[in-house]
């Protein structure tokens, strides 16, 4: 049975590691599967330790292991170290597509779309010359499809590698439609299992239009971290009237949520915003990021993708603003 709980993933990781001890020739492949289960179990520190263990000795694919380690580190707050690993991998120019695709997808997942496109293009230039045949290795084909998706999110025009990706894609739905930013935003995931769950949900809701309309989404408010807000206002001065200062932005968030709570609005949440993500959303709406009317739509879309943190935070939890103080000592205090 496929694991579907953190405990089950942890148990599966232990089983795989025991098997790896019995079959040393398959140790790396089994250990990588175990690391994936540890990540799904939420034990990312243990996964990183396992990657380090694999890198401490002879390895069949050290570049891929480093790329996976970077992805894992970034997920649990070690962004600087993850970036350093990615830059080191780029300099070493792996001859295999898998580490390149892992790097690009890691950057994409954290809204670093421009850098993700740069990394994917470096890989394409190295592994798939523009006159490349259609019988490229499968990992290289997958890399080109990932690059196509990232470039569609950035609203970039097709180039020769994008055309090659179109030729390699044989499914009934054209690649341009499959990677349409509007579809990606609305579906919210590239994981096949999650997409299948979304399709099942939509099918059930089609049977009742009223049910579909009444599906509860959290009412979410955007929170721009200070560096992101500075970048946003510098790039789009038209939004300065929405966000005159960072302190005013934080005050408005708390005041808006308290007002909504007083009015009886349920499912309140806060979603972190980033400039690259917002620009990609604006491109998917064929609009300019300077259009303030997009901001609430962007917040709702992020919330629908599961990015919202519930408000108010639990008792004793850190404040939503990132101050590292508890909510009661910060924006949840009487004088907030």
């Amino acid at each position: 049975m496929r694991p579907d709980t953190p405990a089950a993933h942890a148990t599966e990781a232990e089983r795989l590691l025991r098997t790896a001890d019995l079959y040393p020739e398959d140790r790396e492949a089994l250990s990588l599967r175990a690391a994936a289960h540890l990540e799904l179990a939420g034990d990312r520190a243990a996964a990183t330790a396992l990657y380090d263990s694999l890198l401490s000795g002879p390895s069949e694919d050290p570049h891929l292991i480093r790329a996976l380690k970077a992805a894992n580190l970034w997920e649990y707050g070690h962004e600087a170290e993850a970036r350093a690993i990615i830059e080191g991998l780029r300099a070493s120019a792996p001859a295999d597509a898998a580490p390149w695709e892992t790097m690009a997808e890691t950057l994409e997942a954290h809204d670093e779309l421009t850098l993700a496109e740069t990394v994917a293009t470096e890989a394409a230039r190295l592994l798939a010359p523009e006159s490349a045949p259609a019988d490229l290795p499968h990992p290289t084909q997958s890399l080109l499809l990932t690059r196509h998706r990232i470039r569609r999110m950035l609203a970039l025009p097709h180039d020769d590698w994008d055309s090659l990706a179109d030729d390699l894609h044989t499914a009934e739905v054209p690649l341009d439609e499959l990677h349409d930013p509007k579809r990606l935003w609305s579906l919210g995931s590239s994981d096949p299992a999650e997409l299948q769950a979304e399709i099942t949900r939509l099918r059930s809701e089609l049977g009742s239009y009223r049910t579909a309309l009444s599906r509860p989404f959290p009412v979410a408010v955007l929170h721009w971290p200070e560096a992101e807000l500075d970048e946003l206002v510098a790039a789009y001065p038209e939004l300065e009237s929405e966000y005159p200062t960072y302190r005013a932005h934080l005050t408005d968030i708390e005041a808006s949520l308290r007002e909504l709570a007083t009015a009886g609005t349920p499912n309140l949440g806060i979603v972190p915003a980033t400039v690259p993500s917002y620009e990609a959303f604006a491109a998917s709406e064929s609009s300019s990021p300077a259009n303030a009317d997009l901001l609430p739509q962007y917040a709702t879309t992020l919330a629908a993708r599961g990015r919202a943190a519930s408000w108010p935070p639990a008792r004793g939890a850190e404040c939503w603003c990132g101050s590292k103080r508890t909510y009661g000592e910060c924006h949840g205090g009487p004088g907030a």
Side-chain angles (χ1 to χ4, degrees), residues 5 25 29 35 37 45 51 103 108 118 125 127 138 172 200 209 215 223 227 241 253 314:
T5 66
E25 67 277 11
H37 282 287
Y51 292 133
M103 287 188 283
E108 178 191 10
T118 300
R125 191 176 294 117
L127 303 174
H138 178 73
E172 184 177 347
T200 302
Y209 185 61
R215 187 164 64 101
H223 170 217
S241 60
I253 291 173

Side-chain angles (χ1 to χ4, degrees), residues 130-261:
E130 295 184 30
S131 58
D135 59 348
L136 288 169
H138 178 73
T140 305
Q141 294 185 30
S142 179
L143 169 70
L144 292 177
L145 297 181
T146 294
R147 179 180 180 273
H148 184 288
R149 181 182 67 247
I150 293 169
R151 287 173 60 81
R152 285 284 280 141
M153 290 290 288
L154 289 168
L156 296 175
H158 266 40
D159 61 10
D160 289 342
W161 283 304
D162 289 325
S163 298
L164 178 57
D166 286 330
D167 292 340
L168 293 170
H169 181 70
T170 58
E172 184 177 347
V173 179
L175 202 57
D176 275 344
E177 182 180 345
L178 190 66
H179 289 167
D180 185 332
K182 288 185 178 180
R183 292 174 60 93
L184 294 177
W185 276 97
S186 62
L187 292 175
S189 173
S190 59
D191 180 78
E194 292 180 1
L195 289 174
Q196 185 58 53
E198 180 74 1
I199 291 168
T200 302
R201 182 191 61 75
L202 289 172
R203 281 177 175 167
S204 66
E205 288 186 348
L206 284 173
S208 172
Y209 185 61
R210 178 174 296 177
T211 302
L213 287 177
S214 64
R215 187 164 64 101
F217 283 105
V219 176
V221 176
L222 287 176
H223 170 217
W224 296 91
E226 188 168 9
E228 295 290 340
L229 186 63
D230 290 344
E231 182 181 345
L232 178 77
V233 175
Y236 308 103
E238 300 89 338
L239 297 179
E240 190 169 357
S241 60
E242 299 284 332
Y243 307 112
T245 67
Y246 180 63
R247 183 170 181 175
H249 172 49
L250 298 183
T251 301
D252 286 346
I253 291 173
E254 184 69 24
S256 298
L257 289 167
R258 291 190 182 195
E259 184 177 347
L260 288 166

Side-chain angles (χ1 to χ4, degrees), residues 7-126:
H9 282 294
T11 300
E12 181 65 9
E14 293 173 0
R15 186 190 68 80
L16 287 165
L17 291 175
R18 289 195 301 269
T19 305
D21 290 337
L22 297 173
Y23 301 96
E25 67 277 11
D26 294 324
R27 174 176 176 265
E28 184 166 308
L30 292 168
S31 295
L32 288 178
R33 288 174 57 191
H37 282 287
L38 288 171
E39 292 184 27
L40 291 169
D43 195 351
R44 293 190 174 276
T48 292
L50 187 50
Y51 292 133
D52 287 337
S53 174
L54 290 172
L55 291 169
S56 66
S59 170
E60 298 174 10
D61 197 344
H63 292 122
L64 176 59
I65 297 172
R66 288 191 177 92
L68 292 169
K69 177 183 173 181
N72 180 55
L73 284 169
W74 202 327
E75 285 296 328
Y76 77 109
H78 297 270
E79 177 182 342
E81 187 176 352
R83 286 183 182 275
I85 293 173
I86 289 173
E87 289 307 308
L89 284 170
R90 291 174 66 189
S92 64
D96 298 316
W100 286 104
E101 184 171 17
T102 300
M103 287 188 283
E105 289 183 336
T106 298
L107 292 163
E108 178 191 10
H110 293 279
D111 295 324
E112 296 282 353
L113 294 176
T114 300
L115 183 55
E117 194 277 335
T118 300
V119 168
T121 299
E122 289 174 2
R125 191 176 294 117
L126 177 68

